[in-house]
Structure formats: structure tokens, C-alpha cells
Amino acid sequence: MIKYRRLTKEDHDWLKKITRTFRHEEVSDTKVETILANDLIRIYMASNDDNVCGYVLAYVMPRIDMGDNMLMIYHVFVNEKYQRKHIAETMVRMVIDEAKALGMHYTFLITQANNAPAHALYQKLGGQLHEANNSVYYWYGSGKPQL
């Protein structure tokens, strides 16, 4: 059974497994502790027993004006073995819902213009394309960005 969650400061082993599985790198304990202690970095994951099925990496971006923070989704990856099981959809929805619940101004991500499956997913999740850049999707929380 696939389980979904946001990583916490105690999830050293999971972050190392994510990095090994998707980035093909070993990461130091110091780096893991630094990442997991940073409240501006959000990592969400899907797992099946001890296997990482997918992850989303997002960054909280404080605004310089009086508006609420923004959330940028930076990576969305699903292990090939677990694709076509709605894992990316569930994780991204989880991120968007949490950002809205926290009152973030909006959540956004940038994808490649030719990535049709990603575009279909983000549209299915209610993402709105940026008026001037058709590779940027927005989910509005506390407000619509000024263009």
C-alpha cells in the first residue's frame, strides 16, 4: 500500500534513500540534517514499505512586499516502476492543499513546454497557465499574481 507524507526532521534515512534513488548520489549526514532543519524546504514522498515511489521538492519563497509567501514546486519525480498509479497527482495535490491551508499567496511550478503528460496533470489539478509563459502553472491561495 502506498503511503504519502511530508518529511520531518527525523527522516534522515528517507531523504538519503530519495537522493540515492532519484539523484543517484550519496548525501552526507550534515547535508541531510541541514535540509531537513530548513523550514523553507519542503519534501513530500510516496513510499511502499521500504521503497521510495516518488517525491516532490518545494521551496517556500518569502515575498518582499506585504503579500503572503509563495511555494515553488521544484521537482516532481515518480519511480518508473510506480508510474501510472496517480502518485504524482496525489503528491502534488497534497502540496497544493497544504500551501492553501497555510495561506500561501500561490503555488507555482515551471515545466518544459513539450512535456505533455506534465501539462495534462497540472491542468487536471486546476493549475492555471501564466498568461505570458505557457510553461508556468499557478494554483492561487490568498491571491492572484500581478502580471
Side-chain angles (χ1 to χ4, degrees):
M1 177 175 171
I2 297 174
K3 297 178 182 176
Y4 300 89
R5 63 202 274 298
R6 182 174 149 202
L7 296 188
T8 67
K9 293 177 184 177
E10 290 77 39
D11 288 318
H12 295 110
D13 291 340
W14 280 118
L15 183 53
K16 285 185 166 216
K17 195 174 281 195
I18 287 169
T19 306
R20 201 175 308 120
T21 302
F22 292 97
R23 309 308 296 171
H24 309 291
E25 294 179 5
E26 293 297 325
V27 62
S28 71
D29 291 334
T30 302
K31 178 82 170 190
V32 168
E33 289 172 16
T34 300
I35 296 294
L36 293 176
N38 189 330
D39 291 333
L40 299 178
I41 300 172
R42 309 284 171 94
I43 303 170
Y44 304 80
M45 67 171 280
S47 63
N48 185 12
D49 296 322
D50 288 331
N51 300 310
V52 177
C53 305
Y55 83 101
V56 172
L57 172 62
Y59 296 99
V60 175
M61 301 176 68
R63 294 172 55 106
I64 63 170
D65 60 11
M66 294 302 292
D68 296 320
N69 291 344
M70 304 171 288
L71 187 73
M72 179 182 77
I73 296 174
Y74 191 73
H75 282 156
V76 178
F77 283 107
V78 175
N79 187 317
E80 191 173 333
K81 176 179 172 182
Y82 293 98
Q83 290 178 358
R84 295 177 200 19
K85 297 181 186 295
H86 305 285
I87 292 171
E89 177 181 351
T90 302
M91 288 189 302
V92 172
R93 186 180 314 277
M94 200 169 108
V95 174
I96 294 165
D97 288 348
E98 182 178 289
K100 285 182 180 178
L102 292 171
M104 296 211 184
H105 193 63
Y106 56 84
T107 301
F108 73 100
L109 61 76
I110 302 168
T111 192
Q112 296 82 14
N114 64 349
N115 190 343
H119 284 271
L121 171 62
Y122 304 142
Q123 289 169 13
K124 178 180 181 181
L125 291 170
Q128 298 179 34
L129 278 173
H130 187 281
E131 293 174 20
N133 184 338
N134 65 3
S135 295
V136 180
Y137 283 89
Y138 287 94
W139 291 268
Y140 303 108
S142 68
K144 188 172 182 177
Q146 299 296 313
L147 301 175

